[in-house]
Amino acid sequence: MQPLSQRKPRIGLVLGSGAARGWAHIGVIRALEEHGIAPDIICGTSIGALVGATYGLGVLDDFEAWVRGLGIKDVVSFMDLRLDGGMLKGERLMDFFRRTFQDRPIEELKLPFGAVATSLHTGAEIWLRTGSTVDAVRASIALPGLFSPVWHGEHLLADGGLVNPVPVSLARAMGAEILIAVDLNADLFGRHFNKPAPAQPQTLVGHEWMQKLQRNLSAWLPEPETETRRLPSMLDVLASSINIMQVRITRSRMVGEPPDVVITPRLAQLGLLDFHRARQAIEEGARAAKAAIPTLVELGLAKT
């Protein structure tokens, strides 16, 4: 093997978790491509695994076109509501993905790919690097309380963000020498609780079933004599709790496993299920990636 100074280093692109904010990963990839940066290795957690898989399958163009065309009705159509194991099964989404974007074994993708999931039996971090790409993604996106967990061999798997929201360690283990990480959760503390609720919420409450769900999972707490203060819905409490957990875990792990470059799109205004707001997320992802270009130029990776 040639010394690193005499050859192009292997670039690992690490795509973090973040629910609907994850469409920002598409903008990040596009901006990096514009400046001549193509990853040699790609890995992700949760929504980062989904976008990374489309890149590895070579269908990112088609996937982006589909994502940009999503409306609220489309998103709701994928929500197979249930209350055992998770509010949403997630099977409608993954069945659509299988039909629209041909599944292939991870070993046959155009570049090395890995997804992160969490074993609910042991708490172990599970690296998915072989077998069905769609099955790996389905396990990685199984956000507790939202998507049902799935069986994978002897393990019942849930979202990888429980243990490794921005899987730098996986990219390094796969042989990446320069690590570009995308953290979607850096600006989320207090996102739901520090701002007054808008008159028309931007999450998916415009449809009857979601309106009923939000009302049933909300409460009102009277203050002594004079005030009534609205509690957030259970979905907002769940989202904020997940945000806090993932921000804390990410900060802790990045201290011990620092990437070379961190890209941080600012998307706190997007709700957990705002998948229909793709344009905004993609544009912010591109903006954040372009802000990191000077650092990538210094590393000799990007064209000015």
Side-chain angles (χ1 to χ4, degrees), residues 17 43-47 49 113-129 134-144 148-152 155-165 167 169-170 253:
S17 58
C43 61
T45 293
S46 195
I47 193 70
F113 168 75
V116 177
T118 303
S119 170
L120 291 182
H121 289 131
T122 66
E125 177 179 338
I126 306 296
W127 291 351
L128 302 170
R129 296 185 54 192
V134 173
D135 287 349
V137 170
R138 175 63 184 88
S140 189
I141 67 171
L143 191 65
S148 303
V150 294
W151 286 101
H152 186 85
H155 293 277
L156 184 62
L157 298 185
D159 195 290
L162 294 173
V163 290
N164 201 351
S169 55
L170 172 55
R253 294 203 64 156

Side-chain angles (χ1 to χ4, degrees), residues 1-299:
M1 180 179 293
Q2 288 181 307
L4 183 59
S5 60
Q6 298 178 16
R7 59 180 174 83
K8 179 182 176 294
R10 300 186 77 199
I11 299 172
L13 181 60
V14 182
L15 305 180
S17 58
R21 295 182 298 277
W23 299 151
H25 291 314
I26 298 172
V28 169
I29 292 170
R30 296 308 192 197
L32 294 178
E33 287 177 335
E34 288 176 8
H35 290 83
I37 300 173
D40 302 291
I41 293 165
I42 194 163
C43 61
T45 293
S46 195
I47 193 70
L50 175 58
V51 176
T54 65
Y55 186 84
L57 286 166
V59 296
L60 186 61
D61 289 347
D62 292 337
F63 184 71
E64 179 179 356
W66 175 72
V67 164
R68 285 183 178 273
L70 285 176
I72 292 179
K73 290 183 179 180
D74 299 305
V75 177
V76 171
S77 73
F78 289 119
M79 294 185 176
D80 34 5
L81 183 64
R82 64 186 292 174
L83 293 176
D84 57 327
M87 283 169 46
L88 309 174
K89 290 172 62 178
E91 301 310 321
R92 289 181 186 171
L93 174 61
M94 301 317 294
D95 286 345
F96 171 84
F97 193 85
R98 284 187 179 92
R99 293 194 307 270
T100 308
F101 307 104
Q102 184 178 0
D103 189 17
R104 292 206 302 274
I106 292 174
E107 303 94 311
E108 296 180 9
L109 300 188
K110 70 174 186 177
L111 76 171
F113 168 75
V116 177
T118 303
S119 170
L120 291 182
H121 289 131
T122 66
E125 177 179 338
I126 306 296
W127 291 351
L128 302 170
R129 296 185 54 192
T130 60
S132 163
T133 301
V134 173
D135 287 349
V137 170
R138 175 63 184 88
S140 189
I141 67 171
L143 191 65
L146 189 63
F147 286 107
S148 303
V150 294
W151 286 101
H152 186 85
E154 298 300 313
H155 293 277
L156 184 62
L157 298 185
D159 195 290
L162 294 173
V163 290
N164 201 351
V166 186
V168 173
S169 55
L170 172 55
R172 197 179 299 281
M174 291 171 64
E177 295 161 324
I178 298 291
L179 293 161
I180 303 171
V182 185
D183 180 6
L184 301 176
N185 303 311
D187 64 333
L188 297 183
F189 275 151
R191 171 244 182 262
H192 293 285
F193 302 141
N194 290 339
K195 301 176 182 179
Q200 297 293 328
Q202 298 181 41
T203 49
L204 302 178
V205 297
H207 292 260
E208 184 178 356
W209 76 267
M210 184 62 88
Q211 287 180 322
K212 289 180 180 178
L213 180 62
Q214 289 277 23
R215 285 197 297 268
N216 290 339
L217 299 180
S218 300
W220 290 81
L221 176 65
E223 291 289 315
E225 297 182 2
T226 59
E227 241 187 285
T228 299
R229 183 179 300 174
R230 182 177 182 270
L231 285 177
S233 73
M234 187 177 126
L235 289 176
D236 278 348
V237 172
L238 175 65
S240 290
S241 300
I242 291 170
N243 291 341
I244 290 168
M245 175 194 72
Q246 294 193 353
V247 169
R248 293 295 190 192
I249 293 172
T250 300
R251 290 180 180 178
S252 175
R253 294 203 64 156
M254 280 194 180
V255 169
E257 302 162 342
D260 297 279
V261 178
V262 181
I263 296 172
T264 55
R266 314 298 285 184
L267 288 167
Q269 70 276 17
L270 261 65
L272 188 70
L273 300 178
D274 283 348
F275 293 102
H276 59 293
R277 300 173 66 188
R279 180 188 59 79
Q280 182 178 353
I282 291 170
E283 289 177 357
E284 173 56 20
R287 184 211 61 78
K290 289 175 182 177
I293 292 301
T295 302
L296 294 168
V297 170
E298 289 181 4
L299 290 170

